Amino acid sequence: IMGTWCPNCRDEINVLKEIEQNYGKDQIEIYSIAFEKYRDEKEAIALLKKYKKIMNFDWPLLLGGYANKTETSEILNFVDKIYSYPTLLILDKSNRINHIHTGFYGPATSRHEEFKESLFQRIEEEIKK
């Protein structure tokens, strides 16, 4: 759950690219749901296409709606509440949510490598199940 306007979301996309490269599409699927600053759907979709090209990733980038935590929480009501962007959901092979991580420890933080290691470990555990 992200937005093109969010710098931490951009950093998370880079980590997700590493994950996809490491595990391959045969072991994991990645989807991004963007909540944007434009209410106009055509404007938002045009921005998503441009962003996807600039960020150079090939998994689906879906428009979720307008970037407002309350509205996002209403749309994604299967999640208790959206506290921040990005919010990462890890689902199992039956599409049940097994882990939610809110926020992101970017490369400029002291916790970035720890975060990446933990994320890779969680994904590895899901793949082995």
Side-chain angles (χ1 to χ4, degrees):
I1 301 165
M2 50 81 66
T4 59
W5 47 269
C6 166
N8 283 334
C9 299
R10 183 182 191 99
D11 289 338
E12 186 176 73
I13 292 280
N14 289 327
V15 171
L16 293 174
K17 286 167 46 176
E18 284 182 51
I19 289 168
E20 183 181 61
Q21 186 176 29
N22 190 57
Y23 293 104
K25 294 177 184 180
D26 59 323
Q27 294 190 58
I28 63 162
E29 292 182 45
I30 299 173
Y31 295 85
S32 293
I33 304 172
F35 289 85
E36 292 302 311
K37 296 291 184 180
Y38 300 109
R39 288 203 183 268
D40 179 82
E41 188 174 316
K42 286 181 183 177
E43 196 171 5
I45 289 172
L47 179 62
L48 294 182
K49 287 178 182 178
K50 182 179 177 183
Y51 183 83
K52 188 173 177 178
K53 185 176 181 179
I54 290 168
M55 291 299 294
N56 191 31
F57 64 91
D58 63 352
W59 62 80
L61 175 57
L62 310 170
L63 177 60
Y66 183 68
N68 174 285
K69 291 180 207 170
T70 302
E71 289 182 36
T72 303
S73 294
E74 289 170 3
I75 291 167
L76 302 176
N77 58 13
F78 54 87
V79 178
D80 181 39
K81 184 178 178 182
I82 301 300
Y83 294 97
S84 71
Y85 300 94
T87 295
L88 178 69
L89 309 176
I90 298 177
L91 286 66
D92 65 16
K93 292 175 184 173
S94 299
N95 291 321
R96 288 185 306 248
I97 298 171
N98 277 353
H99 179 72
I100 299 173
H101 183 83
T102 299
F104 183 76
Y105 298 107
T109 68
S110 62
R111 296 191 61 193
H112 182 68
E113 290 305 317
E114 175 189 339
F115 167 77
K116 278 179 51 175
E117 184 179 314
S118 172
L119 181 57
F120 272 78
Q121 190 172 29
R122 284 187 183 279
I123 291 169
E124 189 74 34
E125 289 168 6
E126 286 302 324
I127 289 171
K128 288 180 180 178
K129 289 182 182 178

